[in-house]
Amino acid sequence: MPSELIGIGKLEPFEGAFTKLKKGWMEEETVPPPVKAKMPHSNKVCDSLRDAIIRSNPKDGMTVSFHHHLRGGDNLVFEAIKILAELGIKDITLAASSLTTAHDPILPYFKDGTITQIYASGIRGELGKALAQGVMPKPFVIHSHGGRVRSVHTGKIKIDLAILAASSSDIEGNATGAHGPSAFGSMGYAAIDSWYAKQVIVVTDNIVDYPCVPQSVTQNYIDYVVKVDSIGDPSKIAGGTTRITKAPMDLQIARLAAQVIEHSGELEDGFSFQVGAGGASLAVAKYIRKIMKQRTIKGSFILGGVTSYGVDMLNEGLFRSIFDVQSFDAAVSTSLMDNPYHIEIPAGLYANPFNCGCMTNKLDIVVLGALEIDTNFNVNVITGSEGYVRGASGGHSDTASGANLTVVVCPSFRGRIPIVKEKVHTIVTPGESIDVLVTERGICVNPQRKELKQNLEKAGIVTKDIVDLAKEVELITGKAKPIEILDRIVGVVEYRDGTVIDVIHQVKE
Amino acid sequence: MLYIPGNNPAMLQQGSVYGADGLLLDLEDAVALNQKDAARTLVSHMLKYISYEGCEVTVRVNHIDTPFGLEDLKQIVPLQPNAIRLPKVETLDEIERIINVIEQIEDECGLPHDVMNVHVMIETALGVQNVYDIAKYSSRIDAISIGGQDLAADMQLVKANDGVGIDYARKQIVMAAKACKIDVFDTVYVDVENEDGLREEAEYIKKLGFTGKAIINPRQIEVVNEVFTPTDLEIRKAAKIVKAFERNKAEGIGVFAVDGKMVDAPVVQRALRVLEMADVDVESL
């Protein structure tokens, strides 16, 4: 890893999950948020997004930020970048909390110099492919959800303009995602942008009478308000209710993971819990729910990305509360509105490592996925088997570092591609944060977690050495050809504390 | 026992990871006519190269009177899976003829006759009538099973899902199996989305005396295993009976009471069966 990189500056190498944090006081300083003023009764409402962007006085080299709460239905990023490009703005740093396949249409602006750098927790689709192919002049930065907040607080990301979608807003910019025709739930990732951006535009398709309640972002931070016909594709924004997978492989892995959790020693009254929204990860919740009912266990809180399945568990009294930084389906919005124990939290409270205790630090059990995991338990959730960027760091390293029990669930191979292997292509979460891997072909406990291994063995759960599992997988799939890469570094992966845990090289086509 | 279509490489590869006791690699009804050769080749290769550790592997071949049956036997028998499953067996002559072919192939390959077991499927009214004679024909027949879908078709039942029409056949087949002291497996439950229906049917056929149930989707394994696995309460009760039996036996008492209920030899036998299913070592009690 180089000590410095053009477009990024000095790289501070990762030296351990807690090496930096355990000092307590950080050398970085919090930058002051902008100081702004408005005249009494001034009008924030703009005729169009274009009008609002022009009023924000955009300049070359600016940083523009967005949240990704509109999920796959987001059209705002494209609309805003298109306007900026039409205005001739160049050299933009795009600081979106995450980029998905919904953002594929902005690819041309990577190529014409409109956007020259990216900060995001995840990048997928055509963008991820193009970035790995070296389309961007400056290296992109992958950060965790908590790491993004840390970057903004410390001035590593200096947002000039935040453009924040809301499903409802009043004319002063008090806004929420909890109601309106395009309701999407929590706006947890948007809070930091509203506080720190030099200028903030709230974009909504539903202006409500003053005051908008509840308020995820508040008027004292908002410069302009825009009413548009649509903030995106409603079918993909308000995507209904998340269902538990029916895929037998995911269910089998989830069943095994639930057994591990049950006998880990962590599944006790008052435990806190986080699972992902898809595949085996969410399916674990199904089995944990059953065990909690059988053993009459009541948990403390559900954290993180929240699904309607989590809401059901809250309503059944299995947990006391939900802390919601991001809602994964539309069904969550009603709960967020109606249940005082379903609490929206900003990303900093959720996972920022640079404060006196984010909520991931209070996690007991987290279940996470992986694109790859190596024999040292290092996890890759960002690059795919061909070296393209096709995933998200998200809250992976944040929750893994905080939880007492971090369970990674994934198949041992997908198609003919080994997932459990000797070395991952990109490290996002260090192996020291992972306690146990659960695959369909075996359960592997991190050798550092001797007590966990003993607990599982006492319960008759057979475990396997991860090196043996990797060999077993290789016998089935054959040895995968290494991804061919060039020397040029196209991206860096920040650990949550701002150190660089890995770099991403340009792939050889 | 989980059915896996013989022409599905991914399922054949992953079949053993779901927790089924047995895998039924199917060359028959789950495989389309134009895929029969491909399935046979694929299953043959899988048997050679994939480890199905922890699962008993049975291959269901096509009936010998179809264009595919003999070739299936020629390819599969030399590989000696745990068992070979013969569909739509109806008469004693038929089973005799098929087992002769199997043993002829084994002789040609220098293989013994007592390693690979034979499972017989009863799927027609005639088969039900002859089931006892078929089941007792050979000591290598260690299980019989009912094929509910084909039997319902043979009986010209319009509505078969409630199991009423095949109830007599189920009981007849169980009785034949018990008389021969071999295993007996129930037919598949086709509505994979209906977990409650599956549970109800599994509980019913367990009461009839079936040893297990065929399933068509890994999602059905958990329910069937739950039904057929003795509960903690059942295990504790069985252990209590067996321990009391051992105590009383030493004193020469054959009939005694546990928790106010009479216990004699058949009750002890059932308790031992529960402990066996729960994998509890009687010596350790």
Side-chain angles (χ1 to χ4, degrees):
Chain A
M1 187 187 301
S3 57
E4 202 167 343
L5 208 52
I6 294 169
I8 303 265
K10 281 194 176 149
L11 305 185
E12 186 183 350
F14 171 81
E15 289 180 340
F18 297 102
T19 307
K20 191 166 173 176
L21 298 179
K22 70 185 175 192
K23 289 186 282 188
W25 290 98
M26 298 293 102
E27 283 164 18
E28 291 87 342
E29 288 184 347
T30 303
V31 296
V35 181
K36 303 190 259 190
K38 290 272 180 206
M39 291 302 287
H41 303 287
S42 60
N43 183 14
K44 294 182 181 180
V45 179
C46 302
D47 293 337
S48 64
L49 180 58
R50 187 184 180 86
D51 179 32
I53 289 174
I54 290 170
R55 283 169 73 175
S56 75
N57 195 22
K59 287 189 170 61
D60 288 352
M62 71 189 300
T63 296
V64 186
S65 81
F66 300 88
H67 66 67
H68 70 287
H69 291 291
L70 300 185
R71 301 181 279 269
D74 191 343
N75 198 34
L76 183 60
V77 175
F78 171 68
E79 288 296 333
I81 297 296
K82 192 172 84 171
I83 292 166
L84 286 162
E86 285 165 0
L87 294 172
I89 308 299
K90 295 284 182 193
D91 196 20
I92 291 170
T93 295
L94 173 60
S97 53
S98 199
L99 292 168
T100 69
T101 51
H103 302 115
D104 282 353
I106 66 169
L107 182 57
Y109 304 113
F110 285 22
K111 295 175 179 170
D112 70 1
T114 303
I115 300 169
T116 54
Q117 192 164 31
I118 304 271
Y119 283 79
S121 73
I123 304 170
R124 296 171 198 268
E126 291 302 315
L127 304 184
K129 185 177 172 186
L131 287 172
Q133 289 170 331
V135 71
M136 198 72 92
K138 295 181 212 167
F140 59 89
V141 177
I142 297 294
H143 48 60
S144 71
H145 288 323
R148 181 173 193 264
V149 180
R150 183 252 318 137
S151 279
V152 177
H153 271 305
T154 57
K156 216 168 182 177
I157 299 175
K158 291 179 183 149
I159 304 170
D160 294 296
L161 176 63
I163 303 177
L164 306 179
S167 62
S168 292
S169 172
D170 59 35
I171 57 170
E172 292 300 323
N174 297 300
T176 182
H179 53 76
S182 306
F184 52 80
S186 172
M187 281 181 71
Y189 299 130
I192 186 72
D193 302 54
S194 76
W195 301 332
Y196 271 85
K198 283 185 193 151
Q199 299 200 70
V200 184
I201 302 171
V202 163
V203 182
T204 186
D205 52 11
N206 186 44
I207 293 279
V208 295
D209 288 342
Y210 187 89
C212 174
V213 177
Q215 298 171 354
S216 303
V217 295
T218 53
Q219 64 184 65
N220 50 324
Y221 298 108
I222 310 303
D223 294 273
Y224 308 109
V225 177
V226 179
K227 161 82 167 67
V228 292
D229 292 338
S230 160
I231 54 173
D233 179 348
S235 68
K236 292 177 183 165
I237 296 170
T241 303
T242 310
R243 306 240 177 250
I244 300 281
T245 178
K246 288 180 177 176
M249 181 63 72
D250 284 342
L251 289 170
Q252 173 65 7
I253 294 168
R255 193 178 299 119
L256 295 173
Q259 282 174 15
V260 166
I261 291 169
E262 181 178 11
H263 298 289
S264 65
E266 295 295 336
L267 191 66
E268 300 294 340
D269 267 333
F271 83 104
S272 54
F273 190 45
Q274 180 167 343
V275 291
S281 182
L282 179 61
V284 174
K286 168 183 158 170
Y287 296 104
I288 293 297
R289 179 189 201 174
K290 194 171 165 187
I291 295 165
M292 289 175 77
K293 285 180 180 174
Q294 278 166 356
R295 287 175 43 186
T296 58
I297 292 171
K298 182 163 180 169
S300 172
F301 64 90
I302 291 174
L303 182 62
V306 175
T307 61
S308 49
Y309 203 81
V311 169
D312 289 346
M313 291 171 87
L314 174 69
N315 292 337
E316 287 171 350
L318 293 175
F319 285 91
R320 275 197 290 281
S321 53
I322 291 178
F323 291 98
D324 186 344
V325 70
Q326 176 186 10
S327 314
F328 285 129
D329 60 50
V332 173
S333 302
T334 315
S335 168
L336 198 57
M337 277 289 291
D338 298 341
N339 191 337
Y341 285 90
H342 185 158
I343 302 154
E344 180 172 337
I345 56 167
L349 174 57
Y350 169 54
N352 179 11
F354 282 12
N355 62 30
C356 291
C358 55
M359 296 211 67
T360 52
N361 282 0
K362 273 195 73 65
L363 257 182
D364 290 310
I365 300 167
V366 67
V367 183
L368 299 167
L371 290 175
E372 293 179 320
I373 181 164
D374 69 23
T375 48
N376 290 316
F377 289 84
N378 295 310
V379 175
N380 171 17
V381 278
I382 199 75
T383 45
S385 57
E386 67 296 77
Y388 299 154
V389 184
R390 53 167 67 245
S393 166
H396 203 281
S397 62
D398 297 318
T399 52
S401 80
N404 285 338
L405 177 69
T406 300
V407 183
V408 168
V409 289
C410 61
S412 59
F413 60 95
R414 288 188 185 96
R416 287 169 47 240
I417 310 293
I419 304 301
V420 184
K421 60 206 315 190
E422 200 182 334
K423 195 171 179 300
V424 293
H425 186 61
T426 312
I427 300 175
V428 173
T429 299
E432 63 182 288
S433 302
I434 307 300
D435 297 309
V436 57
L437 164 70
V438 179
T439 74
E440 82 289 0
R441 287 181 187 272
I443 294 162
C444 307
V445 180
N446 189 326
Q448 305 301 315
R449 309 296 188 274
K450 292 189 173 63
E451 197 185 322
L452 174 62
K453 193 170 182 202
Q454 281 167 5
N455 286 346
L456 299 185
E457 282 172 356
K458 222 184 287 171
I461 294 174
V462 179
T463 62
K464 199 178 257 186
D465 189 313
I466 194 167
V467 176
D468 293 339
L469 178 61
K471 281 181 190 159
E472 191 182 323
V473 170
E474 200 177 291
L475 274 177
I476 298 169
T477 62
K479 202 172 180 66
K481 240 173 81 180
I483 298 164
E484 290 192 80
I485 53 170
L486 303 176
D487 287 341
R488 185 182 165 214
I489 293 169
V490 293
V492 302
V493 181
E494 273 187 357
Y495 187 59
R496 59 197 301 262
D497 62 7
T499 58
V500 175
I501 193 165
D502 210 343
V503 292
I504 297 172
H505 287 264
Q506 184 173 342
V507 291
K508 190 175 171 186
E509 290 300 313
Chain B
M1 298 185 84
L2 172 64
Y3 269 113
I4 296 179
N7 59 339
N8 186 324
M11 286 184 72
L12 285 168
Q13 188 173 260
Q14 299 285 31
S16 62
V17 304
Y18 298 113
D21 295 316
L23 300 180
L24 286 162
L25 315 187
D26 193 13
L27 304 180
E28 202 218 8
D29 285 351
V31 178
L33 285 180
N34 62 1
Q35 293 288 309
K36 294 285 185 188
D37 293 347
R40 186 191 303 126
T41 306
L42 186 59
V43 167
S44 304
H45 281 291
M46 287 293 185
L47 287 172
K48 284 180 207 162
Y49 297 113
I50 296 287
S51 162
Y52 289 109
E53 205 181 323
C55 279
E56 197 165 288
V57 177
T58 301
V59 179
R60 179 166 77 168
V61 293
N62 289 283
H63 192 279
I64 197 156
D65 293 336
T66 67
F68 318 105
L70 184 59
E71 195 54 33
D72 285 351
L73 290 174
K74 283 182 182 171
Q75 293 279 327
I76 302 300
V77 169
L79 300 172
Q80 298 276 286
N82 297 110
I84 204 141
R85 179 173 274 221
L86 307 173
K88 301 182 183 72
V89 179
E90 295 188 297
T91 64
L92 183 59
D93 291 347
E94 197 180 351
I95 189 70
E96 188 178 356
R97 184 160 54 96
I98 300 169
I99 289 186
N100 280 341
V101 171
I102 289 173
E103 296 188 343
Q104 209 177 324
I105 296 168
E106 287 173 334
D107 289 342
E108 284 164 13
C109 299
L111 295 164
H113 294 178
D114 58 355
V115 173
M116 186 184 74
N117 292 316
V118 173
H119 290 186
V120 175
M121 290 193 79
I122 303 297
E123 304 180 84
T124 61
L126 182 58
V128 174
Q129 290 306 315
N130 293 325
V131 61
Y132 175 66
D133 289 338
I134 293 168
K136 73 169 185 186
Y137 168 71
S138 165
S139 61
R140 67 189 302 178
I141 298 174
D142 77 331
I144 48 176
S145 63
I146 177 169
Q149 298 299 310
D150 281 300
L151 179 59
D154 189 54
M155 292 171 69
Q156 298 174 334
L157 298 176
V158 179
K159 190 181 167 210
N161 290 350
D162 60 5
V164 171
I166 62 167
D167 198 50
Y168 166 79
R170 272 182 165 141
K171 290 169 179 168
Q172 173 94 339
I173 288 166
V174 167
M175 206 51 77
K178 300 299 171 186
C180 298
K181 302 202 182 322
I182 60 175
D183 287 338
V184 56
F185 298 109
D186 189 41
T187 188
V188 298
Y189 187 78
V190 291
D191 185 358
V192 292
E193 301 300 330
N194 187 356
E195 203 174 281
D196 293 338
L198 171 65
R199 188 178 296 278
E200 197 181 318
E201 182 167 286
E203 279 167 355
Y204 176 67
I205 61 107
K206 184 188 171 191
K207 277 188 222 164
L208 290 185
F210 279 94
T211 323
K213 187 166 177 62
I215 50 174
I216 50 172
N217 189 300
R219 281 192 275 142
Q220 297 181 317
I221 294 171
E222 190 179 11
V223 171
V224 174
N225 276 350
E226 276 174 14
V227 170
F228 277 89
T229 305
T231 63
D232 284 350
L233 189 68
E234 286 168 337
I235 296 166
R236 279 202 297 272
K237 196 174 155 193
K240 204 170 177 182
I241 289 169
V242 172
K243 277 197 272 190
F245 170 71
E246 294 296 337
R247 270 198 316 274
N248 284 287
K249 192 170 73 174
E251 293 167 22
I253 303 168
V255 181
F256 53 94
V258 171
D259 295 334
K261 287 183 185 154
M262 187 192 86
V263 173
D264 56 5
V267 178
V268 175
Q269 214 172 3
R270 285 206 301 274
L272 286 167
R273 173 73 183 142
V274 168
L275 296 178
E276 186 192 336
M277 285 180 73
D279 210 14
V280 174
D281 182 9
V282 176
E283 299 295 319
S284 68
L285 292 174

